[in-house]
Amino acid sequence: MRANSRLAFILLCGAAVAGCNGANSDSSAKMTAEAPTDTELAAYAASHPYPATQPAQEVKVAAIASPDRSTIKLYNFSNQPFSEIDVWVNGSWLQHVRGLPANGSIIIKSSDLYNAFGKNFASQKEPVSRVQLKTNGGFYDVMGPVAQ
């Protein structure tokens, strides 16, 4: 019951904020618990510096970059899910994701990766050369990226 109350509260707050932004349909469409606004994505990237530690050995996660679709797909080949992870691209671009399921995948849009200066990755036309994951358990290189 408590989780349902929390979800209802989040949705109600999102609806209230979306109503205030009536003219800006792009950002109001993103106002959900799972989809932060562009401003929230940029603020998160600005407040989380690139890890100062060296990455541990690779994890069983692979990155496939699709420049034509402006996406990066992460495949988790392990039986261990990851939760609350920061996905770092090229050491400057950041996207926080709630989870990467065991033996599953997620897709990250280039337009949702931001740097500390509030710029998004899609606007830079920079190729994906390195993908890393920061979790509560450590900082890791992933396999790849491979361009598709």
Side-chain angles (χ1 to χ4, degrees):
M1 179 76 177
R2 188 172 186 188
N4 288 338
S5 297
R6 177 187 266 172
L7 178 60
F9 177 75
I10 290 171
L11 291 174
L12 182 61
C13 290
V17 171
C20 294
N21 292 335
N24 190 351
S25 61
D26 283 344
S27 67
S28 63
K30 291 183 176 184
M31 286 290 205
T32 67
E34 294 298 320
T37 65
D38 293 342
T39 303
E40 291 169 328
L41 292 168
Y44 186 86
S47 65
H48 289 78
Y50 183 75
T53 61
Q54 291 293 326
Q57 65 186 47
E58 286 183 348
V59 290
K60 292 182 181 179
V61 175
I64 306 220
S66 297
D68 59 327
R69 290 186 222 141
S70 299
T71 60
I72 300 168
K73 190 167 190 175
L74 297 176
Y75 291 92
N76 183 357
F77 294 109
S78 74
N79 293 326
Q80 181 69 32
F82 292 93
S83 62
E84 302 301 327
I85 57 177
D86 287 340
V87 178
W88 284 94
V89 174
N90 298 354
S92 297
W93 308 94
L94 175 63
Q95 165 69 47
H96 180 79
V97 294
R98 294 200 185 272
L100 177 57
N103 298 305
S105 64
I106 58 170
I107 295 175
I108 296 173
K109 294 187 277 183
S110 298
S111 59
D112 288 343
L113 288 161
Y114 279 82
N115 68 8
F117 303 107
K119 298 200 181 285
N120 76 23
F121 186 72
S123 67
Q124 303 303 303
K125 305 297 183 210
E126 181 180 330
V128 176
S129 60
R130 182 178 67 210
V131 178
Q132 297 166 304
L133 304 179
K134 182 179 182 310
T135 69
N136 288 336
F139 184 48
Y140 308 96
D141 286 326
V142 304
M143 296 179 277
V146 175
Q148 183 180 36

